């Protein structure tokens, strides 16, 4: 939804053109875990007046390997009305010798549209550069002038894993006479800090020698680790519409009057749609009927033209065409509810797998998605309007556990979306397994998923049956499948549950020992990630609370009995809990297993304890059971 300006680095290019950048000059600590090193960047933002802002950008980055190629491509995101000038690119080899230079005429102008975009003003200049060898260094500078002054970017060392930084500077020069607010958010883990100098309305910020954050070992997202500085003008321009964001109340009132009210227009056709639904029952029942009607007749397509990057389509456009983006579909759904006499509110949110909330004390234009909330006497109903598959009153893991900007006629209320517990995000698995004397097993399974695990399995609805089968083979790679069949895959939109059955045959499940066989206790589970018990610089994060429950009924082959079973195990600690129990019958063995993982960020000193917890679970899942032949 938000038009994000990609800032690589800014300013005073002539200074750098007198330098070269040998890779040998990079400090060794910045090479660790890095695919990219930001050698030097300068960002200068000049706020000239309410509708005139200039970005001067220069970056020098060294690319160490092919994993960093997408990051290294010089590109300039822009939209109609922007002015771009002074575009220069110089490529250096490993020793810092100049290989080639480029100008604006060497760039290709493309539509900068995400998948599913129908039409948009978003454009991108991109240099189709291909490196012949690694490492190499790219120096890139340009200037961009924009009329929109509401999107002043945050200053953060980097946004991605496996990037390190030597030096980055951010200069902000305010000539507009409008109050410019700023706020520093320190690193909660003291990973690095920002240095600040000021001279009247002009301020300078810098970071130096920031090591890369490795994408692994459960490290939190860089945005959770690193400091940042946020900026916001009290008054702004957005495509000719000027407003105030000195407070959330001011911003909400402007948003409601300028972006929502002009497109909150019903039509006789929309009135007729609601009449045809013959609504009855409770508010929740009526909302569900309208929501599922809307889902069945629309599809998601991104739209961003002019102020349409933030303003929704008219509801009658969505009604007639059957498509829209998050803004248009949400506005259409809100209009349907209005016609039914049900009040609802348009909510701006940060949709991301790592939770990002708005700062109640620092009003700033932000967010990348829109949802709808319907207050009731019991609790709020939450509606995700872009998915044809998602269940009623269910938010995915990308939108739970954070706050939203609820836009009202008199301002903005900041409210929380629902939080999900381990019990909410559960999997229930029932397996009937026939042990065979040729070391294979045949089985039938029933699987039920709720909460975030429902979200993960929704993707199966969008892929062909063959691909669905192959994907499940990878998910349950603990078995050597000879064949596998998925049956009765069902998405229950009323209870937010995915269910399916699985028929399978797997080879080499048991191992011959004398007159018997040894096999492991749990046949199907999610493969445990291997973690190294290494010295850590950062805490670790368990991002999802979940609970998995399994019941496995083993049928023994004719003439065999269970000679020995493991002891039941119970583990309970701050990271979660686990238990496994065994019941031996004449020709059956029943195994009951439960694993519960807690969500949280834990000190680095506890990582060894976490690894031991995971190892104990893995070892228990692989407990050996002896099946012998009767005399």
């Amino acid at each position: 939804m938000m038009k994000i300006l990609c800032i690589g680095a800014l300013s005073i290019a002539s200074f750098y053109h007198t330098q070269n950048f040998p890779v040998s000059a990079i400090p060794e600590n910045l090479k660790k875990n890095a695919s990219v090193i930001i050698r030097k960047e300068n960002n200068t933002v000049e706020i000239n007046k309410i509708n005139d802002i200039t970005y001067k950008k220069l970056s020098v980055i060294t690319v160490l390997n092919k994993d960093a190629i997408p990051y290294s491509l010089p590109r300039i995101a822009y939209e109609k009305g922007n002015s771009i000038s002074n575009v220069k690119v110089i490529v250096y080899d490993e020793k810092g010798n100049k290989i080639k230079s480029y100008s604006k005429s060497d760039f290709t102008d493309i539509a900068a549209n995400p998948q599913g975009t129908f039409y948009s003003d978003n454009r991108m200049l991109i240099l189709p550069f291909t490196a012949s060898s690694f490492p190499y260094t790219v120096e890139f500078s340009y200037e961009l002038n924009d009329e929109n002054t509401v999107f002043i970017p945050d200053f953060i060392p980097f946004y991605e894993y496996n990037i390190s930084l030597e030096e980055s500077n951010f200069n902000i020069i305010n000539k507009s006479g409008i109050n410019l607010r700023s706020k520093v958010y320190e690193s909660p883990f003291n990973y690095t800090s920002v240095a600040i100098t000021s001279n009247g309305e002009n301020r300078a910020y810098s970071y130096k020698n920031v090591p890369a954050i490795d994408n692994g070992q459960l490290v939190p997202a860089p945005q959770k680790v690193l400091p940042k500085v946020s900026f916001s003008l009290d008054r702004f321009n957005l495509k000719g519409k000027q407003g105030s964001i000195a407070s959330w109340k001011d911003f909400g009132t402007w948003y409601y009057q300028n972006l929502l009210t002009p497109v909150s227009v019903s039509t006789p056709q929309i009135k007729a749609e609601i009449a045809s639904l013959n609504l009855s029952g409770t508010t929740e029942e009526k909302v569900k009927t309208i929501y599922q009607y809307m889902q069945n007749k629309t599809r998601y397509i991104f739209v961003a033209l002019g102020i349409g990057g933030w303003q929704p389509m008219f509801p009658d456009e969505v009604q007639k065409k059957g498509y829209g983006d998050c803004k248009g579909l949400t506005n259409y759904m809100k209009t349907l509810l209005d016609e039914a006499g049900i009040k609802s509110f348009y909510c701006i949110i940060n949709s991301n797998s790592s939770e990002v909330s708005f700062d109640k004390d620092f009003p700033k234009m932000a967010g990348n998605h829109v949802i709808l909330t319907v207050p009731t006497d019991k609790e709020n109903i939450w509606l995700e309007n872009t998915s044809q598959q998602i269940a009623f009153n269910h938010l995915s893991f990308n939108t739970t556990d954070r706050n939203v900007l609820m836009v009202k006629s008199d301002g903005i209320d900041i409210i929380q979306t629902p939080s999900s517990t381990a019990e909410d995000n559960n999997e229930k698995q029932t397996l009937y397994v026939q042990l065979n004397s040729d070391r294979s097993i045949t089985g039938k399974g029933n699987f039920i998923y709720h909460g975030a695990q429902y979200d993960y399995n929704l993707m199966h609805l969008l892929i062909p049956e063959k691909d669905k089968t192959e994907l499940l083979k990878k998910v349950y790679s603990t078995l050597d499948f000879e064949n596998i069949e998925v049956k009765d895959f069902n998405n229950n939109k009323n209870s937010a549950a995915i269910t399916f059955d699985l028929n399978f045959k797997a080879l080499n499940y048991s191992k011959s020992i004398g007159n018997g066989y040894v096999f492991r206790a749990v046949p199907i589970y999610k493969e445990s990630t291997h973690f190294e018990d290494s010295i850590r610089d950062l805490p670790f994060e368990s991002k999802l609370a979940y609970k998995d429950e399994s019941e496995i009924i083993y049928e023994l082959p004719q003439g065999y009995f269970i000679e020995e079973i493991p002891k039941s195990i119970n583990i309970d600690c701050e990271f979660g809990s686990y238990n496994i129990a065994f019941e031996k019958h004449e020709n059956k063995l029943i195994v009951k297993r439960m694993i519960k993982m807690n969500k949280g960020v834990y000190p680095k000193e506890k990582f060894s304890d976490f690894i031991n917890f995971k190892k104990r679970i893995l070892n228990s899942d692989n407990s050996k059971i002896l099946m012998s032949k009767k005399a």
Side-chain angles (χ1 to χ4, degrees), residues 23 25 62 82 254 332 343 462 474 515 536 540 570 630:
V23 175
T62 293
N82 293 155
W254 175 87
Y332 174 52
K343 179 172 284 190
L462 305 175
K474 291 179 182 178
N515 290 325
R536 298 181 63 89
F540 61 100
N570 291 284
K630 294 177 181 177

Side-chain angles (χ1 to χ4, degrees), residues 450-467:
H450 290 95
Q453 302 212 58
Y454 166 85
D455 302 329
Y456 295 137
N457 281 276
L458 270 180
M459 63 180 290
H460 293 143
L461 294 168
L462 305 175
I463 59 179
E465 288 301 315
K466 180 182 177 182
D467 294 339

Side-chain angles (χ1 to χ4, degrees), residues 148-212:
N148 300 316
T149 51
V150 73
F151 300 122
I152 300 174
D154 292 339
F155 180 44
I156 187 170
F158 42 79
Y159 286 90
E160 304 292 339
Y161 293 103
N162 306 115
I163 297 173
S164 64
L165 180 146
E166 284 194 67
E167 183 177 349
S168 178
N169 302 294
F170 190 100
N171 305 293
I172 190 156
I173 302 167
N174 184 12
K175 306 174 185 177
S176 68
I178 302 168
N179 183 51
L180 174 69
R181 291 175 288 108
S182 63
K183 185 169 183 177
V184 176
Y185 299 85
E186 301 287 356
S187 166
F189 311 117
N190 298 314
Y191 195 71
T192 191
S193 60
V194 60
I196 307 171
T197 58
S198 62
N199 180 14
E201 288 297 309
N202 303 333
R203 303 167 198 172
Y205 305 82
S206 65
Y207 299 109
K208 289 186 178 180
N209 299 317
V210 184

Side-chain angles (χ1 to χ4, degrees), residues 105-157:
S105 62
D106 297 307
F107 282 66
T108 300
D109 194 336
I110 63 173
N113 297 335
Q115 185 176 7
T117 300
F118 187 63
Y119 49 87
S120 168
D121 271 345
N122 297 336
R123 305 290 302 174
M124 183 175 290
L125 290 176
I126 188 165
L127 181 66
F129 165 76
T130 303
S132 58
S133 61
F134 299 93
Y136 63 91
T137 298
V138 178
E139 179 181 359
F140 176 33
S141 61
Y142 66 96
E143 294 184 15
L144 184 147
N145 186 260
D146 193 356
E147 68 167 333
N148 300 316
T149 51
V150 73
F151 300 122
I152 300 174
D154 292 339
F155 180 44
I156 187 170

Side-chain angles (χ1 to χ4, degrees), residues 148-427:
N148 300 316
T149 51
V150 73
F151 300 122
I152 300 174
D154 292 339
F155 180 44
I156 187 170
F158 42 79
Y159 286 90
E160 304 292 339
Y161 293 103
N162 306 115
I163 297 173
S164 64
L165 180 146
E166 284 194 67
E167 183 177 349
S168 178
N169 302 294
F170 190 100
N171 305 293
I172 190 156
I173 302 167
N174 184 12
K175 306 174 185 177
S176 68
I178 302 168
N179 183 51
L180 174 69
R181 291 175 288 108
S182 63
K183 185 169 183 177
V184 176
Y185 299 85
E186 301 287 356
S187 166
F189 311 117
N190 298 314
Y191 195 71
T192 191
S193 60
V194 60
I196 307 171
T197 58
S198 62
N199 180 14
E201 288 297 309
N202 303 333
R203 303 167 198 172
Y205 305 82
S206 65
Y207 299 109
K208 289 186 178 180
N209 299 317
V210 184
I213 298 173
D214 189 28
N215 185 12
Q217 298 287 291
L218 300 180
V219 174
Q223 293 92 323
K224 285 190 174 184
V225 172
L226 297 168
K228 73 173 181 180
V229 188
S230 288
F231 307 91
S232 184
L233 286 170
D234 278 359
R235 293 189 297 115
F236 64 87
N237 180 69
L238 176 60
K239 285 292 181 181
K241 292 184 182 291
Q242 296 182 3
S244 169
I245 196 170
S247 67
W248 285 121
K249 178 179 175 62
D250 288 349
F251 182 57
T253 303
W254 175 87
Y255 200 111
Y256 185 88
Q257 292 175 351
N258 289 271
L259 300 186
L260 298 186
T261 299
V263 295
S264 299
V265 181
S266 186
T267 64
Q269 290 79 9
I270 292 175
K271 294 178 187 291
E273 282 185 296
I274 288 298
S276 69
L277 295 178
N278 297 313
L279 298 172
S280 62
T282 64
T283 297
E284 183 175 0
E285 289 168 337
K286 292 176 182 177
V287 175
K288 181 189 289 187
T289 298
I290 299 170
Y291 178 71
Q292 292 180 345
Y293 164 80
M294 184 276 299
Q295 275 187 304
N296 290 333
K297 70 164 293 181
T298 61
R299 69 188 191 279
Y300 174 83
I301 291 180
F302 180 68
V303 179
L305 280 177
I307 204 166
W310 280 87
Q311 188 167 52
M313 296 168 58
F314 280 92
D316 67 319
E317 285 188 81
V318 179
Q319 189 262 337
K320 291 173 183 175
K321 297 175 180 177
Y323 62 72
D325 61 11
C326 62
K327 305 177 300 297
L329 294 170
T330 297
N331 189 46
Y332 174 52
M333 181 64 195
K334 185 179 186 307
T335 305
L336 290 171
L337 290 171
D338 287 343
E339 286 298 341
I342 299 170
K343 179 172 284 190
S344 62
F345 295 95
Y346 189 95
C347 296
I348 306 163
I349 193 169
N350 290 293
S351 177
N352 193 290
S353 58
S354 185
E355 303 96 333
V356 177
S357 284
F358 298 95
D359 185 342
K360 295 180 180 180
D361 300 318
F362 192 81
K364 176 182 171 66
M365 185 73 132
N368 62 358
H369 189 50
V370 168
I371 57 178
L372 202 65
T373 188
V374 182
T376 71
D377 292 338
K378 294 188 297 182
E379 58 185 11
N380 288 341
I381 296 171
W382 295 93
L383 302 177
E384 168 57 66
N385 302 290
T386 60
S387 171
Q388 294 172 295
Q389 288 80 33
I390 202 165
F392 168 73
N393 196 20
H394 175 81
L395 294 182
S396 75
F397 60 88
N398 278 333
T399 48
T400 52
D401 296 304
R402 68 205 70 195
N403 63 26
V404 303
L405 304 179
M406 187 171 78
V407 183
K408 303 169 68 178
S409 61
D410 58 352
I412 277 176
D413 286 349
I414 299 181
I415 64 173
Q416 289 293 129
T417 61
S419 296
S420 58
T421 65
E423 285 72 20
D424 294 328
N425 304 322
N426 68 75
E427 173 194 23

